[in-house]
Each structure stands twice: as C-alpha cells, then as structure tokens.
Amino acid sequence: MREVKIALLGFGNVGKGVWKILNMNSEELIKRSGYHIKIGKILIRDINKARDLDVPKELFTTNFEDIIEDDSIDIIVELMGGIEPAVDYMLQGMKRKKHIVTANKMAIATKGNTLIKTSREEGVMFYFEGSVAGGIPIIHGLNDNLVANKIEEVIGIINGTTNYILTKMTQEKISFEQALAEAQKKGYAEADPTSDVEAFDAVYKLCILASLAFDTIVSVNSIYREGINNVKPIDIEYAREFGYVIKLLGIIKETNGELELRVHPTMVPAEHPLANVNDSFNAIFLKGNAVGDLMFYGRGAGELPTGSAVVGDIVSILRNKEKSSYYPCLKNEGYKKIKDIEEVKCEYYIRITVKDKPGVLGEISSIFGKNNVSILSVIQKGKREELVSLVFITHSTLEGNINKSIGMIKALNDSEKIENIIRIENLGMD
Ligand code: NDP
Ligand code: HSE
C-alpha cells in the first residue's frame, strides 16, 4: 500500500473535521485514492490547549519549519484562516514542491492569483473546494462539469452563520446575539464573526465564484456589501406580512458584458426554494446557457461538511499526482466592467419612522414620485400623535432613484428617520 504524508496547518473546526473523516472513512479513502493518507504533522498556535480528540502529542508543532523542511510531507492542508502567515506558508510550500489544499476564502479572494500563478510555476496542485459553501462541490462544478457553459447568473446563500442567525430570528424569534452565540458554538462562524455578520466572508466567496464563473479578475473592493446587522425583528415581521423571507444573498448577474456584484440582506418570496434554505445550509442557483437552471444545496459550514470538501481535494491531488494534469484556476483574462450599485435595478422595502401629522404620507409619496419611484404598497402602523412606522414597497427602480429620494426625505425635518432599506428579489416569481 502506498502511503502519502500530509500536514495540517490548523486544528480548529475544519482541521478536526479532516482528522475525523480520515479516520471514519479510511478504508474507502484507500480504495478511492490508492493511498493510505497519513497525517505527519499538525501546526497549531497553542501547544498547551486542550484538544478534544485523541491525537498523538508528537504530531503537534508550533514551528512551521518542522513541516516545510520535512521532505516526506507531500501535501500541505492550510486550515488556519487569515491572510498571513497562511499565504506565506502556502507559497513556501509550493516552492518546496508540496501540493496545497486550503479552505481559506479570504486568502483566495485577495491573493488567489499569486497563489495560482506560483502553483503553476512550481508544477504543484492547488485546490480550494472548501473555500466556498462548505460541503457543496461548487468549485469543481464550475471548473469542471459546467465548463461547457457561459454562466449568466449566480444567486446564492453562501454564508452559513448569517443564514443560521436569520433562520433562528425568523422561526424561533430568538435574539440576534443568542443566534450568533449558537452559530459560534456549532463551529460555523469565523474566528472573528464580524466577517460573517458584516458579510465580508460572503464577499470573499462571491469574489471567487465571480472569477471562476465569469472569466474575470474580481477585486473584493468592487463588490457591494451590506451585512445583516441592521435586520431587526420588525423587518422580519413586515417581510412575512408582505409574503417574503429575509436572506443574505450573494448576487452576480451579467448584462451586456457588465457584472452586477452584490451581497446584502434581501427579501425573497416565501414560496421560493431559497426562502426555505435554513440553518447552516447554503444554496447556489446558477443559470448556464447550455445547462439552464441549476441549484446546489447543502451544508455551507461546519467541521464535517467542510472537511468533506477538503478531503475530497486531497484525494483529487492523489488521483492526479502522477499526471499533474488538472489545476483548478481562477480565470484571469482581464477585468470586466462592474456596474455601480446606483445603476442596479430592484424593488425596495423602505421603513421610515415619522411623526403622525396630516400630510406626511403625501409629502413622502410625492418625493418618491418626483424621483421616478413608483409605490407598490404602503403600510402605516402606530397611534395618532405618536411616531409611527411607514413601510413602502416600491416597483422595480434604479437604486440611484431610491438614494435621491432618501436624501430628500431626510431633509424634510428631524422626526423622519429612515430605519431600514432592504432590496427585494422576486427571482422570477412575480
Ligand atoms: P478555527 O479558528 O477553528 O481554527 C484555526 C486553527 O488554526 C487553530 O487550530 C489555530 O491554533 C490554528 N492557527 C491559527 N493561526 C495560526 C498561526 N498563526 N500559526 C499556527 N496555527 C494557527 O478555524 P476554522 O477551522 O473554523 O477555519 C479554518 C479555515 O477554514 C478558515 O480559513 C475558515 O475561513 C475556513 N472555513 C471554515 C469553515 C467552518 O465551518 N468553520 C467552513 C469553510 C471554510 P490553536 O488551536 O492553537 O488556536
Ligand atoms: N463562517 C463561514 C460561514 C464558514 O458561516 O459560512 C463557511 O465558509
């Protein structure tokens, strides 16, 4: 039996998932890869930390030199997170002819082209299936099975933590803070959960998907981003009244060679399949000009689902080791124009607090009218003489028109407060 030695950089949620899968499915993995996959070293930060798995102590090291200098290690599996030292370790590994697997979306989205270029120059394989949507095989899907298509649209729920939080706030009415704490406990959240909540994590993933699906270099800074921090229980309740569910969506659309790239909370029709993607599940819809509509669905975070993608990459390397013929790549044939968010067309939910005085609704409605924003419906809740909530749903309009209207409404007087604006995607159900 041939043996291959790998090193894990990191033994947190995903590292432990990889360890468990290698043990749980060892016989199948031997049959499927032709190798006995052995963990030779595990890099961690804190050697004294209690580990809840029975791992021989001598495998742990805090010194990367123990791995890079060990010629018996063929594959480095980077599961530490962050940009540095993770990227430096991966580049060093490639230069020492070690194949690399990672689940680090932040590193791929920001340094992916350097990593790909170096892997090609060094003739090593570089795989990163776990970096987008956990256990869903979307990267192999795009790079391999869907390569015959021109992709026209990708819309997805690509962050497990925020989907878990929104699901719990919607279905069980628990607080944002409690739901986040649960997501952290379950191992879904990033080391710094701001990355999930403020949608940086989803932006990294959308950046990787856009590069792969639309043959272009995408900078993370060109992606419009809004997190779920401002989604309040009252917005979830209004969404329900209007027949919607709020999800954090990543959206890529190509029209006339221009890309729309945005991540933001979105109201989706309650009867649409995306509205029923709950907890840590992710789903990605895409439209190809040959395959038509496709939906990928599965666990988007967590130790075993992500470990599944990582171990799959290790096996892909072992299967291709002799021929070294397959290098998944971020396409980098130049930049496509990215649409400014002001030019994006959507329907909008707008919640405003106003003093309930005669004429206020008329004033606000006339501002919308002046800016070509047509109102589909409006709800007013609250008692007279108090502050009341006005909720507008607009017809499809340019975001620029909404922003002009909001500027004018804010200038009306001090008691009008724009509480929230949430985009609505009817996803072909209108
Ligand atoms: P954790 O925070 O749970 O684990 C990180 C591990 O890396 C820890 O073992 C830590 O050591 C080690 N580590 C961190 N920095 C260093 C360093 N400078 N030197 C040595 N060791 C270091 O992270 P996750 O397992 O959750 O995530 C790992 C990667 O996988 C990230 O890139 C993440 O974005 C990605 N990912 C995570 C998913 C998930 O569901 N959690 C899903 C998909 C991708 P120590 O144990 O000593 O603290
Ligand atoms: N923190 C990420 C999420 C992990 O919640 O989706 C999976 O990439």
Side-chain angles (χ1 to χ4, degrees):
M1 173 51 55
R2 288 178 297 179
E3 183 181 285
V4 66
K5 251 199 210 167
I6 68 170
L8 302 184
L9 310 187
F11 202 62
N13 297 303
V14 186
K16 285 191 271 186
V18 169
W19 171 275
K20 286 182 189 171
I21 293 168
L22 290 177
N23 285 294
M24 186 166 85
N25 296 337
S26 59
E27 278 178 32
E28 290 77 4
L29 289 166
I30 287 172
K31 277 190 226 141
R32 291 170 190 169
S33 69
Y35 285 86
H36 176 229
I37 304 167
K38 217 173 149 203
I39 296 182
K41 277 275 173 261
I42 304 175
L43 183 75
I44 33 94
R45 216 170 4 195
D46 178 1
I47 206 83
N48 296 315
K49 197 180 201 175
R51 313 274 162 188
D52 52 2
L53 289 172
D54 193 14
V55 180
K57 275 207 161 34
E58 62 276 14
L59 288 189
F60 289 114
T61 177
T62 53
N63 186 1
F64 181 62
E65 296 297 306
D66 291 345
I67 290 168
I68 198 75
E69 295 298 338
D70 184 342
D71 289 335
S72 71
I73 289 171
D74 251 350
I75 302 174
I76 290 182
V77 183
E78 187 281 306
L79 302 168
M80 306 188 302
I83 296 180
E84 294 300 351
V87 171
D88 176 46
Y89 289 174
M90 287 191 271
L91 291 171
Q92 284 194 52
M94 289 173 184
K95 289 183 179 148
R96 298 296 285 261
K97 307 295 178 204
K98 297 181 193 302
H99 304 290
I100 307 290
V101 174
T102 182
N104 188 336
K105 44 270 155 113
M106 188 195 247
I108 307 285
T110 54
K111 305 282 175 195
N113 288 317
T114 307
L115 287 160
I116 302 270
K117 188 167 163 275
T118 308
S119 73
R120 287 184 177 165
E121 285 166 2
E122 300 298 334
V124 293
M125 284 176 272
F126 176 49
Y127 282 67
F128 43 90
E129 184 61 67
S131 65
V132 180
I136 299 176
I138 184 68
I139 292 183
H140 281 264
L142 284 170
N143 256 324
D144 206 355
N145 316 83
L146 294 170
V147 79
N149 287 266
K150 247 170 112 171
I151 306 292
E152 293 162 357
E153 188 176 288
V154 178
I155 297 184
I157 294 171
I158 49 178
N159 181 270
T161 301
T162 47
N163 202 41
Y164 184 88
I165 295 172
L166 290 173
T167 303
K168 295 289 163 181
M169 287 175 72
T170 305
Q171 296 183 347
E172 295 170 25
K173 312 267 184 277
I174 70 172
S175 70
F176 174 93
E177 290 74 20
Q178 192 188 338
L180 171 59
E182 285 181 16
Q184 286 178 292
K185 204 162 158 223
K186 287 173 183 281
Y188 304 151
E190 295 303 301
D192 174 3
T194 315
S195 185
D196 298 293
V197 169
E198 295 189 5
F200 292 100
D201 179 82
V203 161
Y204 299 140
K205 291 165 176 167
L206 199 79
C207 177
I208 298 170
L209 290 177
S211 305
L212 289 172
F214 294 88
D215 300 320
T216 184
I217 299 173
V218 175
S219 142
V220 289
N221 300 324
S222 64
I223 300 177
Y224 179 83
R225 176 189 58 82
E226 250 177 58
I228 63 162
N229 335 37
N230 202 32
V231 176
K232 300 287 182 280
I234 189 172
D235 298 311
I236 293 174
E237 189 47 35
Y238 276 122
R240 195 191 56 73
E241 279 185 37
F242 285 113
Y244 294 110
V245 173
I246 301 177
K247 294 287 180 190
L248 182 74
L249 291 194
I251 298 173
I252 316 172
K253 292 181 187 174
E254 177 161 20
T255 25
N256 305 323
E258 266 189 14
L259 284 183
E260 257 178 53
L261 298 170
R262 47 196 171 101
V263 175
H264 50 69
T266 314
M267 291 194 183
V268 298
E271 65 275 20
H272 190 275
L274 273 182
N276 298 301
V277 173
N278 290 319
D279 295 325
S280 68
F281 280 93
N282 282 190
I284 300 171
F285 272 94
L286 60 83
K287 204 186 273 296
N289 68 346
V291 72
D293 291 342
L294 261 188
M295 178 175 169
F296 292 78
Y297 171 78
R299 289 270 179 207
E303 57 174 33
L304 291 180
T306 313
S308 158
V310 171
V311 174
D313 278 352
I314 296 169
V315 172
S316 294
I317 287 176
L318 296 176
R319 286 176 167 173
N320 290 304
K321 217 157 113 67
E322 271 78 37
K323 48 185 186 322
S324 282
S325 61
Y326 176 64
Y327 302 92
C329 56
L330 296 175
K331 318 277 177 23
N332 49 10
E333 280 108 38
Y335 294 87
K336 279 191 177 157
K337 188 167 181 293
I338 313 291
K339 228 185 214 179
D340 190 279
I341 191 73
E342 295 262 309
E343 294 162 29
V344 163
K345 251 185 150 178
C346 259
E347 292 174 23
Y348 295 83
Y349 157 96
I350 302 166
R351 178 165 64 86
I352 308 176
T353 301
V354 296
K355 205 174 232 167
D356 190 16
K357 54 179 196 212
V360 66
L361 178 58
E363 246 178 337
I364 293 174
S365 303
S366 106
I367 288 177
F368 281 132
K370 277 186 200 139
N371 290 298
N372 278 327
V373 177
S374 151
I375 304 300
L376 178 67
S377 48
V378 59
I379 296 183
Q380 177 177 337
K381 282 195 182 171
K383 295 196 186 110
R384 290 193 68 79
E385 302 303 325
E386 286 178 9
L387 292 180
V388 293
S389 245
L390 277 184
V391 177
F392 296 88
I393 301 284
T394 75
H395 282 287
S396 182
T397 187
L398 282 176
E399 180 125 350
N401 295 341
I402 296 290
N403 291 340
K404 272 188 229 144
S405 309
I406 296 302
M408 288 169 73
I409 292 167
K410 278 185 180 162
L412 277 180
N413 71 46
D414 289 342
S415 59
E416 270 100 23
K417 183 162 178 234
I418 311 298
E419 303 284 357
N420 210 349
I421 302 175
I422 300 179
R423 295 164 191 84
I424 300 172
E425 290 282 336
N426 281 307
L427 304 167
M429 299 197 83
D430 42 356

